Amino acid sequence: MLAARGMQSLRASPSSGAAVAPRLKTNVSQRQGVACRQAASAGALGMLQPASTKPIDRIRYQAKLVFDTLDTDGDGKLSPEQLQGYFSYSNERLGAHSPLAERYTVEAARAAAEGATGFEDFVQLVRDQLRCVDRNRNWVQTQLPPKDMSRLLHASALSIQEMGVILATFRLLDSDNNGLVPLDFLRKAQGIEKKVFEGVLEDADDDEDGCLRFEDFLTSYHRERPVFMSMAVLFAHSAAFYGIFQLPVDVFVKVIIAAILVMKPFLITGPVVKIWRIGQALVGRFMATREMAAKGTSFSNLY
């Protein structure tokens, strides 16, 4: 969702037969069905992961918004100069990560050899950028104040890594680098992102200034926190504080440790939520496998 004004610097340089078809179509449908079942068993996590399946792939359509803004002549390609402009643009928002620097070098060399970068290559580049952020647990903690991050993590029921990927996505869409994404640009979204905009984001602008802040954007990724998960988180925090005050150390040390947990509750909430979702995904997988076994099929023979 890039505004035209914020992207002016990037626009400088424009630059075997009938019997097989039904079987291929059936295989594609079957694979999509499997992807949807797997995503359902894992909740909304698939939406956040850079390598998520296409039926719920928001990243692809978010990257499309950026690509279309860069592609000023509408030929479906980016010139090497436009690509270099995007590297600088994203470095300003995500920072200079050494793995990404290597990735940019490879992509720039490929673009120079081929004369341009197509949309699919650009989408993969964006996925690699977000994957790099996803692997860097400390990145999001340097971008958000601890109090705000704790509040947002609790409200959204997301993990720190997921929060980082969403924040990085928002930053790439923030054309003016001022913490705002225009609603008018969001209306140009396609695919699943268009449905998300119409169903959630269009009404997320509480102050009605025509722009979304990160907290507004984050609402489209919120998960409902199950009652039992909340109880597990509460129990884990209670057990942690009980354990702290049972430690054979000075009272002052106990107070310091307890204060750290109060200021950074995600140190406990994060692992508990992750364990809960892993268990939820395993149970979902087991139930889906049992249901398919009853119908005489399995995941493996759908591929």
Side-chain angles (χ1 to χ4, degrees):
M1 308 78 162
L2 298 170
R5 180 166 58 86
M7 296 302 296
Q8 286 175 350
S9 62
L10 301 182
R11 293 176 174 174
S13 302
S15 83
S16 72
V20 177
R23 186 162 61 250
L24 292 175
K25 184 176 181 180
T26 301
N27 289 340
V28 170
S29 300
Q30 289 174 331
R31 293 187 184 186
Q32 289 179 341
V34 172
C36 290
R37 282 192 294 273
Q38 289 174 330
S41 68
L45 181 61
M47 280 192 177
L48 310 180
Q49 294 181 353
S52 61
T53 51
K54 288 186 179 180
I56 52 173
D57 190 1
R58 291 183 64 181
I59 292 172
R60 180 179 184 83
Y61 294 102
Q62 291 162 343
K64 175 68 172 170
L65 288 169
V66 181
F67 183 87
D68 286 348
T69 302
L70 297 171
D71 181 21
T72 54
D73 54 6
D75 65 350
K77 298 178 181 179
L78 301 182
S79 69
E81 293 79 12
Q82 290 171 324
L83 187 64
Q84 287 292 341
Y86 175 72
F87 293 159
S88 300
Y89 173 90
S90 55
N91 277 339
E92 290 176 359
R93 287 149 178 80
L94 304 183
H97 301 268
S98 53
L100 285 182
E102 298 173 6
R103 177 68 174 85
Y104 294 163
T105 300
V106 172
E107 186 63 28
R110 188 202 55 73
E114 298 180 5
T117 296
F119 174 62
E120 294 300 334
D121 291 321
F122 182 78
V123 172
Q124 187 57 51
L125 174 63
V126 173
R127 292 188 194 282
D128 290 342
Q129 289 177 308
L130 299 181
R131 188 176 290 111
C132 181
V133 171
D134 180 57
R135 292 172 179 169
N136 186 352
R137 180 185 178 91
N138 296 325
W139 182 80
V140 67
Q141 298 184 43
T142 64
Q143 304 299 311
L144 295 173
K147 184 178 295 186
D148 288 347
M149 186 168 68
S150 296
R151 177 176 56 83
L152 294 175
L153 286 172
H154 177 76
S156 62
L158 298 169
S159 69
I160 293 177
Q161 285 87 349
E162 291 168 344
M163 180 78 72
V165 171
I166 299 168
L167 178 60
T169 302
F170 181 83
R171 291 278 176 82
L172 290 177
L173 300 171
D174 178 7
S175 61
D176 296 325
N177 203 17
N178 62 357
L180 299 173
V181 174
L183 278 174
D184 285 342
F185 206 88
L186 286 168
R187 291 191 176 91
K188 301 177 182 179
Q190 302 175 19
I192 186 66
E193 193 64 17
K194 179 178 180 179
K195 295 182 179 180
V196 171
F197 172 77
E198 294 173 347
V200 181
L201 293 177
E202 193 169 23
D203 298 322
D205 180 20
D206 292 335
D207 55 9
E208 299 183 354
D209 63 350
C211 296
L212 294 184
R213 291 158 180 77
F214 174 62
E215 187 169 350
D216 303 327
F217 183 72
L218 186 63
T219 59
S220 64
Y221 290 92
H222 277 201
R223 291 193 181 100
E224 291 186 8
R225 190 188 298 273
V227 174
F228 288 110
M229 181 193 290
S230 298
M231 292 175 62
V233 170
L234 179 61
F235 176 80
H237 279 277
S238 301
F241 281 103
Y242 176 81
I244 289 172
F245 287 102
Q246 296 302 312
L247 292 174
V249 296
D250 187 74
V251 174
F252 180 74
V253 176
K254 296 178 182 180
V255 172
I256 293 297
I257 298 175
I260 292 174
L261 289 184
V262 169
M263 291 186 293
K264 298 187 176 183
F266 56 84
L267 294 176
I268 296 176
T269 303
V272 172
V273 171
K274 181 174 291 187
I275 292 172
W276 177 276
R277 289 184 185 141
I278 290 173
Q280 190 177 41
L282 291 175
V283 170
R285 173 79 180 192
F286 171 77
M287 296 297 292
T289 301
R290 189 174 68 171
E291 179 181 349
M292 296 182 71
K295 295 179 180 179
T297 186
S298 65
F299 286 117
S300 59
N301 62 21
L302 292 179
Y303 291 89

